[in-house]
Amino acid sequence: MVFEPGLADGPVLVSVVYHVAPDDCAAFIEAMDRVAHSRRRTGALTWGLFQDGNEAGRFMENYLVGSWAEHLAQHHNRLTTTDRGFEDRVRALLLPGIEPEVTHAFDATVGPVVPRTETPSV
């Protein structure tokens, strides 16, 4: 089911999966350190970078934001040109043709997140 979050819904766990060539892993981790500072500066409460133990070059970035409104502000109000440059450096290290996979998860114990409703056909 797809959710349409309200601005106050949260906290929000943002997860981003990256695929990196094995020779670029050290540079990727170093570049992600700058992204970590950016995420925290723009509102992340926690941040972590994890390497998949079963797939070389697969990394998972996870960070927690207080609400959907806070996460939207990260994208639209708080991100600087310098922050975008850090993200561009990370993207340059990814395997060609494989975009990062982003998911947004909402705390199921706080809810409810309202399910998206379909417009009834007339």
Side-chain angles (χ1 to χ4, degrees):
M1 175 178 281
V2 177
F3 294 107
E4 186 71 39
L7 293 177
D9 286 330
V12 183
L13 176 63
V14 182
S15 298
V16 187
V17 175
Y18 303 95
H19 295 272
V20 180
D23 290 345
D24 292 331
C25 287
F28 173 80
I29 292 168
E30 185 177 323
M32 285 300 293
D33 185 56
R34 300 282 185 138
V35 171
H37 291 293
S38 170
R39 301 281 197 237
R40 288 184 182 109
R41 186 190 60 73
T42 60
L45 304 171
T46 63
W47 183 90
L49 181 66
F50 301 86
Q51 187 169 12
D52 191 325
N54 295 318
E55 185 179 333
R58 184 174 185 267
F59 292 86
M60 292 148 288
E61 174 193 18
N62 294 301
Y63 60 98
L64 190 66
V65 184
S67 69
W68 187 242
E70 284 290 312
H71 183 55
L72 292 177
Q74 281 184 304
H75 286 294
H76 303 293
N77 301 359
R78 299 179 185 151
L79 204 61
T80 66
T81 301
T82 301
D83 295 325
R84 289 185 208 287
F86 297 150
E87 291 179 2
D88 289 344
R89 171 68 178 135
V90 164
R91 285 183 176 269
L93 294 166
L94 302 182
L95 288 175
I98 302 177
E99 291 294 316
E101 179 185 335
V102 181
T103 59
H104 302 92
F106 296 83
D107 188 337
T109 64
V110 176
V113 176
V114 180
R116 182 178 298 178
T117 56
E118 299 298 322
T119 306
S121 55
V122 182

